[in-house]
Amino acid sequence: MAVYTLPELPYDYAALEPVINPQIVELHHDKHHAAYVKGANDTLEQLAEARDKESWGSINGLEKNLAFHLSGHILHSIYWHNMTGDGGGEPLAADGVGGLADAITESFGSFAAFKAQLTKASATTQGSGWGVLAYEPLSGRLIVEQVYDHQGNVGQGSTPILVFDAWEHAFYLQYKNQKVDFIDAMWALVNWQDVARRHAAAKERGDSLLLAP
């Protein structure tokens, strides 16, 4: 069975300047994201060994490690594509993302209200974590979630479509301890075309994975 691999960046290290400098992008992708990929693969090997030996003394730790590393890999894979040097502003029908714009208004009342909620959720995540805009299939609405580390505080069926990385490794070399300044600056990079594609795909899948209405 195939193992997880580190995806290539969809742009060069300097593409997100001045919001994120090249050194951060390089370290973040080549070291931190790569570590989550390796961690997920290593944990799968350890779980396979546990099955072969029927040795389950470390099962709780192994399952936690798998969730941590795999979620880190998935969230970062979304993160890189959620950003573009030509991004920012609001999603607009004139730009071909009217469906997303309407969904944001329906779910949050206005774009400004949504932006305020995701900004605050991202900036106040305790410790290391993420702010996430997700599609919740049971109601068909968009919700904002806080992800602690790489897990937790999420609706089990929800699909992340826009993620803000609030771990210190995402910003500290440039923004020091001013996490809120980094989150505010991130809005200038949002790739609404990518977010809209993810929203449309999540809607099309619908509640097919859910067993209860």
Side-chain angles (χ1 to χ4, degrees):
M1 184 174 293
V3 296
Y4 300 109
T5 58
L6 180 68
E8 293 185 5
L9 286 172
Y11 35 69
D12 61 40
Y13 296 138
L16 304 179
E17 286 194 293
V19 176
I20 307 178
N21 68 40
Q23 183 184 17
I24 289 177
V25 175
E26 181 176 7
L27 288 171
H28 196 167
H29 176 267
D30 295 4
K31 302 298 182 182
H32 292 282
H33 188 172
Y36 300 128
V37 173
K38 183 178 186 302
N41 290 329
D42 288 349
T43 306
L44 286 176
E45 290 182 3
Q46 292 162 10
L47 283 165
E49 182 179 355
R51 290 193 300 273
D52 290 341
K53 296 181 177 180
E54 296 187 2
S55 175
W56 303 111
S58 300
I59 186 64
N60 287 343
L62 290 174
E63 294 291 358
K64 185 176 180 180
N65 285 344
L66 180 61
F68 175 81
H69 290 297
L70 182 53
S71 294
H73 174 37
I74 291 170
L75 288 167
H76 280 92
S77 296
I78 298 170
Y79 179 67
W80 303 123
H81 287 274
N82 274 170
M83 296 184 291
T84 175
D86 299 323
E90 296 185 31
L92 300 172
D95 297 324
V97 291
L100 174 64
D102 290 343
I104 289 173
T105 299
E106 291 170 3
S107 297
F108 300 99
S110 68
F111 177 80
F114 152 67
K115 182 178 179 180
Q117 183 176 345
L118 182 54
T119 296
K120 185 63 68 174
S122 303
T124 61
T125 301
Q126 294 176 338
S128 299
W130 300 71
V132 175
L133 173 67
Y135 176 78
E136 196 286 290
L138 203 58
S139 65
R141 68 179 292 129
L142 296 173
I143 58 174
V144 166
E145 300 174 329
Q146 284 181 320
V147 176
Y148 300 112
D149 290 337
H150 295 319
Q151 322 160 44
N153 241 29
V154 300
Q156 293 302 304
S158 61
T159 300
I161 63 173
L162 173 62
V163 299
F164 282 3
D165 192 342
W167 285 62
E168 287 189 346
H169 64 238
F171 64 87
Y172 202 85
L173 287 176
Q174 187 172 355
Y175 293 85
K176 303 300 187 282
N177 63 333
Q178 300 303 311
K179 184 193 296 186
V180 67
D181 291 345
F182 170 66
I183 299 302
D184 284 339
M186 276 289 298
W187 288 100
L189 296 177
V190 177
N191 183 348
W192 293 115
Q193 298 291 332
D194 181 69
V195 179
R197 284 193 294 270
R198 295 178 187 279
H199 177 239
K203 283 184 63 178
E204 183 176 351
R205 187 175 63 186
D207 63 357
S208 59
L209 299 180
L210 300 176
L211 301 180

